[in-house]
Amino acid sequence: MSFDWAFFWRYLVEPSSVYLHGLWLTLSISVICQLLGTIIGLFAALGRLSSIRALQLVVRFYTWIMRGTPLLVQIVFIYTALAAGNIFRFEDIDLGFVVLPGNIQAGIVALSLN
């Protein structure tokens, strides 16, 4: 079995639309999650520095939960457990120019919170 260099270079220089869509989706999710995560982290840091003891405890508990559970468990919990417990369901959102599926929304929420 040998490596097909012609195949590799062809798809590296001229990727298919499926790969380009996946790249665009990954980059957009990453940017959105980083922005939301920065905002959440800023409020968490301000909560830790607060003089209100109850707020400090809430932020410490949040940090303990997020650091103590694997990211994949958080994503699965947010997407499936919230829906199974009739707490929240991620429905598809039609923004006019794009449809944001529920599983992508759950991933964005989980990655932002993490």
Side-chain angles (χ1 to χ4, degrees), residues 89-108:
R89 287 189 196 281
F90 289 96
E91 302 292 335
D92 295 350
I93 297 175
D94 186 7
L95 300 175
F97 58 93
V98 69
V99 175
L100 191 59
N103 56 354
I104 301 294
Q105 296 172 42
I108 288 172

Side-chain angles (χ1 to χ4, degrees), residues 68-81 110:
T69 56
L71 178 59
L72 184 59
V73 172
Q74 294 171 14
I75 293 171
V76 170
F77 180 81
I78 287 174
Y79 185 62
T80 58

Side-chain angles (χ1 to χ4, degrees), residues 34-108:
Q34 287 175 3
L35 289 174
L36 292 175
T38 301
I39 293 168
I40 293 168
L42 176 66
F43 283 112
L46 292 174
R48 286 287 299 263
L49 296 174
S50 173
S51 61
I52 302 170
R53 183 81 173 137
L55 185 58
Q56 289 178 356
L57 292 175
V58 167
V59 171
R60 285 185 181 180
F61 180 74
Y62 168 77
T63 305
W64 178 70
I65 290 292
M66 289 299 148
R67 285 185 180 175
T69 56
L71 178 59
L72 184 59
V73 172
Q74 294 171 14
I75 293 171
V76 170
F77 180 81
I78 287 174
Y79 185 62
T80 58
L82 294 180
N86 286 327
I87 298 170
F88 186 78
R89 287 189 196 281
F90 289 96
E91 302 292 335
D92 295 350
I93 297 175
D94 186 7
L95 300 175
F97 58 93
V98 69
V99 175
L100 191 59
N103 56 354
I104 301 294
Q105 296 172 42
I108 288 172

